[in-house]
Amino acid sequence: MSFDGLGLRVELLKAVKTKGYTAPTPIQTRVIPAILDGRDILARAQTGTGKTDAFALPLVELLSRQDAKGGRSRHPRALVLVPTRELALQVGESIKAYARLVSLRCSVVYGGVNINPQVDRLRRGIDILVATPGRMLDLALHRYLKLSKIEFLVFDEADRMLDMGFSDEISAVLDLVPAQRRTMLFSATYTQQIRNLAEIMLEAPEQIEVTPNTTAAESVTQKVHLVDRSTKRALLVHLISKGKWNRVLVFTRTKHGANKLTEKLVEKKISAVALHGNKSQSLRTRTLNEFKNGESRILVATDVAARGLDISDLPYVVNYDMPSVAEDYVHRIGRTGRAGVSGVAISLVCHDEKVHLKAIEKLLGQKIPVETINGYTVDSAVPDFVLLRPENSASERKAAKSIKEIVGKRKTSRENSKKNTEKTTGFGKSYGSDSESKSRSNRRTEKAGKKSSRPESKFRSDRRTEEAGKKSSRPESKFRSDRRTEEAGQKSSQPDSKSRSTRKKDSAGKKPSKSGSRFSQSSKQGKPKGRR
């Protein structure tokens, strides 16, 4: 089947051919006619199957038909919600490419950037809005955005939105849009949350399922290299250099790991850039553009980019760190092999990550082929320049006895040093040991308990209280306030004694005053006054 038979106008057919698409993908073949027929959509499609164009083309087609009847409004008539900023930009670019051909206005709003330019664009009027939930609600609550004219509501990567905690935002969006509308929900998985959400927002939807969520795209060739963790970086450099890879997306588990790997690649004269959540939106956009334009060969990213990137002609994806969630593996490798173009997904798996590999293979229902690279993978022959590779039987048989003794002495020295450190500091014990291994907080708690259990030892506050009680029980000792009162009383009982205040007043009276009056003698022998 060709695009000509889907009921699209001539301008859109030309745009599709300009992109290089000759035939619609399976998801496009089923979704486009259903949307044009006026149905709500519940579709499950794997990433990279062309689902963005599956709803972008019919949206532009339907809105352009309304414009021909004079139905244009300043407020958006179609709203597309996506979970991440990167995905918002990618979807926005795809829709704008079609919308400008039929004089439709499309804008993209997302958080992390100045809101004022987005407000100015909305005031000029738009037809299609692509947005992340948070920024869209900010604009709506401040009355910069009016959603009462929405006719088409699209949720792209709905399962990802729920995973990121956008449940409340989705409910708020449903309260702001009209009840009479057309709704399309696209998801990579069919969880119970997705089914519950579909029951709430969809009316007699057309359910479309093209590929199951537990399979990777057939156009992606998968490989596994079993490698020591310390050899991962050297193997990655070897693959890039020997294969002359010019465009590679590398996934790491942490932001720090992405930055560190990028620095090491740059040291090897390999142009690389890092992309993760700690980067500002402007820097992330510039980084993506550099990678797309070929200015950087390697893009090192965390899973923030797993579903938000649409990079044409991306031949290689490398899992430098294996994902702990098996479903994330499918989304990672879905960045390559898109739109019918073949790609290669390579995973560098160390011993600690084999459990993640087993979970991924269980999800996929197949074994991923393991390939050996001499000199780098653990199952390969040890090259001549490596004198000894520990825990490798072939290498240990080949190594000289003197080398083994040196390695053994160093290993013993490290173990003894570790034991001495444990004895002196109490730290450094393994987390998997028995009762003698405890965390720092537990050891402190136990020490405090031992101290408090000693009968002769008491807390500082108790000791102070007891000492104060002992002092007060002595007959010859009195509190300071009582002693002051008694001393003041003794002084006042002497006829020739005067209080300090009285003496001050008497001395003041000797000086000539303006009124010429003096204090009387009775005031001198009045009630005793304490120290002020």
Side-chain angles (χ1 to χ4, degrees), residues 248-274:
V248 188
L249 176 59
V250 181
F251 281 104
T252 61
R253 183 180 293 110
T254 64
K255 303 169 187 176
H256 174 71
N259 289 333
K260 186 176 180 180
L261 179 59
T262 301
E263 293 173 0
K264 297 299 181 181
L265 291 176
V266 172
E267 290 177 1
K268 296 293 184 180
K269 308 301 181 182
I270 298 175
S271 59
V273 288

Side-chain angles (χ1 to χ4, degrees), residues 46-58:
Q46 196 58 54
T47 181
T49 56
K51 61 180 174 60
T52 300
D53 285 348
F55 64 79
L57 286 168

Side-chain angles (χ1 to χ4, degrees), residues 483-513:
R483 292 199 302 271
R484 289 176 180 174
T485 305
E486 291 177 357
E487 292 173 359
Q490 291 175 1
K491 291 180 180 180
S492 63
S493 62
Q494 298 176 3
D496 55 346
S497 65
K498 297 180 180 180
S499 64
R500 180 180 299 180
S501 61
T502 306
R503 289 197 301 272
K504 286 183 177 180
K505 292 177 180 179
D506 288 346
S507 61
K510 294 178 182 179
K511 297 179 181 180
S513 62

Side-chain angles (χ1 to χ4, degrees), residues 183-351:
T183 308
M184 287 143 271
L185 191 152
F186 293 85
S187 175
T189 58
Y190 268 179
T191 62
Q192 188 59 43
Q193 284 182 305
I194 292 296
R195 297 182 186 278
N196 295 340
L197 186 62
E199 292 179 1
I200 295 174
M201 66 173 59
L202 302 180
E203 182 177 352
E206 178 83 11
Q207 297 191 25
I208 299 172
E209 184 174 345
V210 176
T211 56
N213 66 312
T214 58
T215 61
E218 295 181 357
S219 57
V220 179
T221 301
Q222 303 177 63
K223 300 178 182 179
V224 166
H225 297 312
L226 301 178
V227 62
D228 290 331
R229 184 175 296 276
S230 59
T231 318
K232 276 190 176 186
R233 187 166 62 243
L235 176 56
L236 178 61
V237 172
H238 170 77
L239 293 173
I240 295 172
S241 302
K242 185 177 180 180
K244 297 181 179 180
W245 295 352
N246 291 323
R247 182 172 291 186
V248 188
L249 176 59
V250 181
F251 281 104
T252 61
R253 183 180 293 110
T254 64
K255 303 169 187 176
H256 174 71
N259 289 333
K260 186 176 180 180
L261 179 59
T262 301
E263 293 173 0
K264 297 299 181 181
L265 291 176
V266 172
E267 290 177 1
K268 296 293 184 180
K269 308 301 181 182
I270 298 175
S271 59
V273 288
L275 179 70
H276 52 70
N278 282 355
K279 305 284 186 180
S280 65
Q281 184 56 45
S282 59
L283 183 58
R284 289 160 71 173
T285 302
R286 184 166 67 251
T287 299
L288 281 176
N289 291 335
E290 290 178 359
F291 183 66
K292 291 180 179 180
N293 298 333
E295 298 177 20
S296 301
R297 296 173 59 188
I298 314 299
L299 179 63
V300 184
T302 57
D303 283 310
V304 68
R307 297 192 186 187
L309 294 181
D310 184 20
I311 303 171
S312 59
D313 191 21
L314 179 63
Y316 298 100
V317 169
V318 177
N319 290 303
Y320 188 83
D321 294 322
M322 295 297 288
S324 56
V325 179
E327 287 80 3
D328 289 343
Y329 173 84
V330 179
H331 299 301
R332 283 184 178 187
I333 68 174
R335 298 304 97 200
T336 186
R338 300 171 70 87
V341 181
S342 61
V344 179
I346 297 175
S347 299
L348 310 183
V349 183
C350 65
H351 178 73

Side-chain angles (χ1 to χ4, degrees), residues 21-275:
Y21 303 150
T22 57
T25 62
I27 186 69
Q28 294 169 354
T29 302
R30 299 185 59 182
V31 170
I32 292 176
I35 295 178
L36 294 177
D37 289 343
R39 300 288 302 275
D40 282 1
I41 301 296
L42 174 60
R44 178 169 75 168
Q46 196 58 54
T47 181
T49 56
K51 61 180 174 60
T52 300
D53 285 348
F55 64 79
L57 286 168
L59 271 184
V60 174
E61 173 69 27
L62 293 174
L63 292 175
S64 63
R65 293 176 185 177
Q66 293 180 1
D67 279 353
K69 299 177 182 180
R72 171 167 289 198
S73 171
R74 186 173 68 88
H75 302 289
R77 293 174 287 163
L79 174 62
V80 181
L81 289 177
V82 296
T84 64
R85 292 173 280 185
E86 286 75 21
L87 187 57
L89 292 170
Q90 174 240 309
V91 173
E93 289 177 2
S94 180
I95 295 179
K96 288 178 181 179
Y98 300 129
R100 65 172 60 100
L101 299 176
V102 292
S103 300
L104 289 178
R105 302 158 298 177
C106 177
S107 183
V108 181
V109 297
Y110 47 82
V113 297
N114 191 347
I115 197 174
N116 293 328
Q118 299 175 357
V119 172
D120 294 339
R121 182 67 186 87
L122 292 176
R123 286 174 176 169
R124 293 197 298 267
I126 59 172
D127 299 297
I128 304 172
L129 178 64
V130 181
T132 55
R135 177 53 60 91
M136 191 278 300
L137 288 176
D138 287 342
L139 293 167
L141 294 177
H142 288 84
R143 299 185 179 181
Y144 296 126
L145 176 64
K146 188 176 181 180
L147 299 178
S148 60
K149 301 294 184 180
I150 294 297
E151 302 174 14
F152 303 94
L153 178 61
V154 181
F155 289 88
D156 192 12
E157 303 283 5
D159 55 340
R160 184 66 169 174
M161 288 190 202
L162 296 177
D163 292 342
M164 297 174 66
F166 285 131
S167 300
D168 295 338
E169 286 79 358
I170 291 175
S171 300
V173 170
L174 296 178
D175 293 337
L176 294 174
V177 297
Q180 297 297 325
R181 64 180 188 276
R182 302 268 302 283
T183 308
M184 287 143 271
L185 191 152
F186 293 85
S187 175
T189 58
Y190 268 179
T191 62
Q192 188 59 43
Q193 284 182 305
I194 292 296
R195 297 182 186 278
N196 295 340
L197 186 62
E199 292 179 1
I200 295 174
M201 66 173 59
L202 302 180
E203 182 177 352
E206 178 83 11
Q207 297 191 25
I208 299 172
E209 184 174 345
V210 176
T211 56
N213 66 312
T214 58
T215 61
E218 295 181 357
S219 57
V220 179
T221 301
Q222 303 177 63
K223 300 178 182 179
V224 166
H225 297 312
L226 301 178
V227 62
D228 290 331
R229 184 175 296 276
S230 59
T231 318
K232 276 190 176 186
R233 187 166 62 243
L235 176 56
L236 178 61
V237 172
H238 170 77
L239 293 173
I240 295 172
S241 302
K242 185 177 180 180
K244 297 181 179 180
W245 295 352
N246 291 323
R247 182 172 291 186
V248 188
L249 176 59
V250 181
F251 281 104
T252 61
R253 183 180 293 110
T254 64
K255 303 169 187 176
H256 174 71
N259 289 333
K260 186 176 180 180
L261 179 59
T262 301
E263 293 173 0
K264 297 299 181 181
L265 291 176
V266 172
E267 290 177 1
K268 296 293 184 180
K269 308 301 181 182
I270 298 175
S271 59
V273 288
L275 179 70

Side-chain angles (χ1 to χ4, degrees), residues 387-404:
L387 299 179
L388 174 63
R389 176 174 291 172
E391 299 181 1
N392 185 294
S393 57
S395 178
E396 290 179 351
R397 289 194 302 267
K398 180 182 176 182
K401 184 178 180 180
S402 58
I403 299 297
K404 294 180 182 178

